[in-house]
Amino acid sequence: MPKQQIIKQILVWRYKYISQKNFVYILSVVVGLLTGVAAVTLKNITYTIQSFLKRGIIFSENQLYFILPVIGLFLVFLYTKYLAKKGMTPSVPPFIKRAIPSLLYSLLRQKGLLSYKLIYHPLITAPLTVGFGGSVGLLGPAITSGSALSSNLSRILHVDKKTRTLLIACATSGALASMFKSPIAAIVFAVEVFSLDLTFASLLPLLIASISSVLTSYFFLGDELLFDFNVSEKFQARDTAFYMLLGIGTGIASIYFTKIYFAIYAFFDRFKTKFSKLMVGGIAIGIMLYFIPPLYGEGLSFTKDLFEGNYLHALGTNPFDAYTDNIWVVILLLIGFTIFKAIAMTTTFAAGGIGGVIVPTMVMGSALGNVIAKVINNIGFGHQVSEANFTLIGMAGLIAGVIHAPLTAIFLIAEITGGYILFLPLMITVAISYMITKNYMDHTIYTRELAERGDLLTHDKDHSVLTLMQLDSVIEKNFVKVRPEMTLEEMLHQAVSKSNRNLFPVIDKDTRLVGVITLDDIRTVMFDQELYKTTSVETYMHNPPEYIIYEKDSMKMVMKKFQHSGAWNLPVIKHGKYHGFVSKSKLLTAYRRELINFTQ
């Protein structure tokens, strides 16, 4: 039996016996399981590569660190150029550089349709990047793979756009839940990142997907956790000021993280070829790894060592080993790690590596939190704070600042520590960090490029509806065009008698808009035959409106132009030429229709 016929029979059976609500629940389970398998596969492949390289290559440790990033990036380069065939349709614009922004763009402009190749590409390129020392994470690729799975599953089953969006959010939730075994934080992350309206209809599928992903992770990995922290020191009220200081520190670090991210990308954009980016980036990462070995890979073992107080093992073998008996040298090395983690991560991306942002952000935050605790404990004030707690809460502070997801940060750290002992200090640090970065930067590394192009959905419903609307859908082109040299008689016979509109654009021979004429402009003379041949369109036309709509204007800008002009129709100019008109009535009708679709 042909494949299409089988699918058709399944769909007929589904419509007959399964309600839409239950169908979404079933799909949530399937998406969660598939995403969990993808995340587990990704981790296992990466750790297998790392284990093989550490045991199987005869180099001294620092030589190993130096050479491997170049090899890994070169393998990714070869794969993407020769083995990964093109045709990732729908295509993602080149300005989008990371997994989450590409998903957000796809949901907005491509109806959430992702290429099936995105299911397995991240499972190959991310392990090559991270396994060979690229200083990035695995969560982003896991989200991409899971989202592609859910997108293609929904396409096969003819799921509508709204349900497809929910399933991609389920995949995102499932990936984080599987990686960290933290289902609540996973749900919150999907809501914060995808700007979902949190209703019971969307909450339950997210919860189901998270649970099934976590169960999948337990099935394959048992009780093994990405982070295994048991908090032994409770929050002390006298430490409140220091947690506030940590919030300020993570807020400033978040701004630095974002600034350096875009600065390094701008630097690499100067190189014309991918190979030159690869070589410069690979060598730069190797040099950083030589002096700061824990920059290798995701850096999770580094964070675990800091939490356990084993900072010398965390720092690894480095050129400054002879001086690490001095705690201030250790603090300086940790500060160096904090500074260069963001640089190493972005350099890996810019050089062609594939990975995620969240885990490197957490690792950098853990280093910063540990640094602040060590400074407090050794500055001579006689006050001691928990370095382990500051290590954990520093992670949350940086997550809240870098990706503007404060609730995700709080619940993620609470869940990976197995309780809510640190809930209050988490809230203090996260709130301050988020407030500082949000006031300084409206958008994150995920959203800035999208926002600049008007392609970003937010929790602001009015803004989101305008973002979803397309200018082309409201442009009217049935206005009869006239030329300025046409006589009044020619205009009446060739335009007025053949149009049901009361407005006529006046264009020159190059199709440029030079004026507008309305029936009101000629109403008093249109029956005066003496003027038919002696006057022309140019006699009665007036200049184009002060406010003109251009093809690159966002719908928000279009609305503002109507508001400021008070006009009922505004002309559209595309590539310098007349393209049509937008009427206020059609614009508002389209807005109401999109609002209804958005809120259903």
Side-chain angles (χ1 to χ4, degrees):
M1 185 180 294
K3 177 182 174 183
Q4 293 297 328
Q5 190 172 351
I6 294 174
I7 294 173
K8 185 177 180 180
Q9 289 183 353
I10 293 173
L11 291 174
V12 170
W13 181 87
R14 193 277 283 185
Y15 284 120
K16 188 174 181 180
Y17 296 104
I18 303 176
S19 67
Q20 175 66 15
K21 180 175 68 175
N22 291 333
F23 183 59
V24 172
Y25 294 159
I26 294 171
L27 288 180
S28 301
V29 174
V30 175
V31 166
L33 291 172
L34 293 176
T35 304
V37 171
V40 170
T41 302
L42 191 61
K43 286 194 291 185
N44 286 339
I45 295 174
T46 304
Y47 296 155
T48 300
I49 291 174
Q50 289 179 340
S51 177
F52 172 76
L53 292 174
K54 289 180 180 179
R55 290 192 313 232
I57 298 180
I58 306 174
F59 283 120
S60 71
E61 191 175 45
N62 285 325
Q63 287 175 320
L64 175 70
Y65 285 141
F66 185 87
I67 195 67
L68 287 182
V70 178
I71 298 174
L73 290 172
F74 185 66
L75 291 174
V76 172
F77 171 78
L78 291 178
Y79 174 80
T80 54
K81 185 173 183 179
Y82 298 108
L83 298 179
K85 295 180 180 179
K86 296 182 179 180
M88 305 282 281
T89 307
S91 60
V92 175
F95 74 89
I96 298 178
K97 301 179 177 71
R98 297 270 57 82
I100 298 296
S102 67
L103 291 180
L104 295 175
Y105 182 86
S106 174
L107 290 173
L108 177 64
R109 299 301 182 204
Q110 298 169 341
K111 300 180 180 180
L113 297 173
L114 301 172
S115 169
Y116 72 92
K117 296 179 181 180
L118 289 175
I119 297 172
Y120 60 86
H121 280 342
L123 303 182
I124 299 171
T125 54
L128 289 175
T129 302
V130 179
F132 280 83
S135 195
V136 292
L138 295 175
L139 180 57
I143 290 173
T144 300
S145 180
S147 297
L149 280 165
S150 62
S151 175
N152 283 277
L153 178 64
S154 65
R155 177 161 33 193
I156 292 171
L157 298 176
H158 300 281
V159 169
D160 60 83
K161 178 189 172 183
K162 189 175 182 66
T163 305
R164 187 183 301 118
T165 299
L166 179 58
L167 292 178
I168 290 177
C170 286
T172 301
S173 178
L176 192 143
S178 178
M179 284 282 187
F180 296 101
K181 294 186 177 175
S182 52
I184 298 176
I187 296 170
V188 175
F189 177 72
V191 172
E192 288 189 307
V193 170
F194 288 102
S195 301
L196 295 177
D197 282 337
L198 189 57
T199 62
F200 186 77
S202 61
L203 177 61
L204 193 53
L206 289 173
L207 180 60
I208 292 171
S210 295
I211 292 172
S212 58
S213 288
V214 171
L215 291 176
T216 303
S217 183
Y218 273 111
F219 179 79
F220 285 102
L221 301 178
D223 293 332
E224 178 186 340
L225 297 174
L226 195 63
F227 290 105
D228 186 11
F229 299 129
N230 292 310
V231 178
S232 58
E233 300 180 61
K234 295 183 179 180
F235 166 68
Q236 301 291 330
R238 57 188 175 86
D239 294 337
T240 300
F242 296 112
Y243 285 112
M244 295 173 67
L245 176 64
L246 178 59
I248 295 172
T250 53
I252 295 172
S254 298
I255 295 171
Y256 159 77
F257 190 103
T258 305
K259 292 276 188 183
I260 204 70
Y261 176 89
F262 288 108
I264 291 176
Y265 261 115
F267 171 76
F268 274 85
D269 285 341
R270 299 176 183 176
F271 298 100
K272 296 182 179 179
T273 65
K274 291 183 178 180
F275 187 76
S276 59
K277 293 180 181 181
L278 181 158
M279 293 306 298
V280 172
I283 293 172
I285 296 167
I287 293 172
M288 286 185 277
L289 292 181
Y290 180 84
F291 290 99
I292 313 176
L295 290 175
Y296 185 96
E298 289 185 291
L300 299 178
S301 59
F302 171 85
T303 298
K304 291 179 181 178
D305 287 335
L306 285 185
F307 177 79
E308 294 168 359
N310 195 359
Y311 54 83
L312 293 179
H313 189 266
L315 291 171
T317 303
N318 62 79
F320 308 100
D321 279 350
Y323 309 100
T324 52
D325 56 340
N326 186 324
I327 190 62
W328 292 104
V329 172
V330 172
I331 290 173
L332 288 175
L333 289 174
L334 290 173
I335 292 173
F337 176 90
T338 304
I339 292 171
F340 281 95
K341 183 62 178 176
I343 297 174
M345 181 203 75
T346 311
T347 301
T348 303
F349 287 141
I354 304 298
V357 171
I358 293 178
V359 173
T361 302
M362 296 172 67
V363 173
M364 178 179 166
S366 70
L368 179 60
N370 195 267
V371 163
I372 292 177
K374 278 183 167 57
V375 170
I376 294 170
N377 291 340
N378 293 278
I379 204 169
F381 289 161
H383 193 97
Q384 295 291 309
V385 297
S386 170
E387 292 185 6
N389 290 356
F390 269 67
T391 299
L392 291 170
I393 295 174
M395 295 161 63
L398 213 66
I399 292 173
V402 170
I403 65 173
H404 289 186
L407 295 178
T408 298
I410 292 172
F411 284 104
L412 180 59
I413 301 305
E415 285 189 285
I416 65 177
T417 55
Y420 295 87
I421 297 175
L422 300 179
F423 212 66
L424 185 57
L426 277 170
M427 294 173 68
I428 293 170
T429 299
V430 163
I432 293 174
S433 179
Y434 178 70
M435 179 179 62
I436 291 173
T437 53
K438 187 66 175 176
N439 285 334
Y440 189 83
M441 299 181 301
D442 288 331
H443 304 290
T444 69
I445 57 179
Y446 286 157
T447 61
R448 194 177 91 172
E449 293 158 316
L450 294 171
E452 288 174 350
R453 299 174 63 93
D455 291 326
L456 179 65
L457 291 178
T458 69
H459 287 285
D460 183 339
K461 188 174 294 184
D462 182 66
H463 173 81
S464 295
V465 171
L466 289 175
T467 303
L468 287 167
M469 293 173 64
Q470 297 287 330
L471 178 59
D472 286 343
S473 66
V474 294
I475 296 176
E476 298 179 82
K477 300 179 182 179
N478 62 341
F479 292 86
V480 179
K481 300 182 286 290
V482 297
R483 299 283 293 275
E485 63 272 15
M486 291 175 63
T487 64
L488 177 60
E489 183 180 27
E490 289 174 330
M491 178 186 173
L492 291 174
H493 286 97
Q494 298 178 26
V496 176
S497 64
K498 297 179 181 180
S499 175
N500 60 354
R501 313 301 295 257
N502 65 351
L503 185 149
F504 304 90
V506 184
I507 62 171
D508 62 14
K509 61 181 180 179
D510 296 320
T511 325
R512 290 178 298 190
L513 184 70
V514 295
V516 174
I517 189 168
T518 66
L519 286 180
D520 287 340
D521 296 325
I522 60 172
R523 193 179 302 278
T524 58
V525 298
M526 60 189 302
F527 298 109
D528 189 345
Q529 296 185 7
E530 294 181 0
L531 299 176
Y532 277 13
K533 297 185 183 298
T534 59
T535 59
S536 64
V537 169
E538 191 173 13
T539 307
Y540 305 104
M541 76 178 191
H542 50 83
N543 292 329
E546 179 184 355
Y547 290 90
I548 292 177
I549 298 170
Y550 297 95
E551 74 271 18
K552 292 185 178 180
D553 283 351
S554 66
M555 294 305 295
K556 189 175 181 179
M557 178 60 69
V558 172
M559 281 288 196
K560 284 184 177 180
K561 288 183 176 181
F562 270 103
Q563 180 181 354
H564 294 318
S565 67
W568 280 99
N569 296 280
L570 288 178
V572 180
I573 303 300
K574 187 174 183 179
H575 305 308
K577 298 184 178 182
Y578 167 78
H579 188 60
F581 271 83
V582 174
S583 68
K584 183 182 290 186
S585 59
K586 185 164 185 177
L587 182 63
L588 294 177
T589 300
Y591 175 83
R592 286 193 294 269
R593 185 186 305 116
E594 196 64 54
L595 180 63
I596 292 170
N597 292 335
F598 184 77
T599 54
Q600 280 180 343

